[in-house]
Amino acid sequence: MNRHSIQTRLTKYGKLAKISKRVSPHTFRHTMAKRMIVSGVDVFSLMHLLGHTDITVTKRYVNLWGQDLEQKYKLHGALKGLKL
């Protein structure tokens, strides 16, 4: 199987599933990176897992907004674990 056939199949299955957004191997890579950051994986480990040599490339993969930031704060916020 080559790169083009994988992309073609993902596009086909995305349409069959009525997914309105782009479906591609790269989309899955971005989604995986974002989910790992939200779940607590540090950016340096993620950088190495993605095979990047520069942190700025990894930064482009992960865009955290609104709910993502709120969830991250709940997991790792400065007040977590304090009895107030």
Side-chain angles (χ1 to χ4, degrees), residues 24-59:
S24 71
H26 204 70
T27 306
F28 284 112
R29 185 174 163 88
H30 277 267
T31 302
M32 183 260 330
K34 183 176 176 179
R35 291 181 62 127
M36 289 182 78
I37 288 292
V38 169
S39 70
V41 172
D42 68 278
V43 70
F44 297 106
S45 297
L46 180 61
M47 179 182 82
H48 290 290
L49 288 169
L50 292 173
H52 298 156
T53 55
D54 187 346
I55 198 82
T56 57
V57 177
T58 306
K59 217 170 109 175

Side-chain angles (χ1 to χ4, degrees), residues 38 64-74:
V38 169
L64 298 177
W65 300 98
Q67 286 181 326
D68 299 320
L69 290 171
E70 186 178 329
Q71 182 180 355
K72 192 86 169 136
Y73 181 77
K74 285 179 183 175

Side-chain angles (χ1 to χ4, degrees), residues 6-37:
I6 293 169
Q7 174 63 50
T8 302
R9 285 183 185 201
L10 283 174
T11 301
K12 174 187 169 184
Y13 296 134
K15 287 178 182 176
L16 287 173
K18 296 183 170 99
I19 297 172
S20 60
K21 294 184 179 186
R22 182 174 181 233
V23 177
S24 71
H26 204 70
T27 306
F28 284 112
R29 185 174 163 88
H30 277 267
T31 302
M32 183 260 330
K34 183 176 176 179
R35 291 181 62 127
M36 289 182 78
I37 288 292

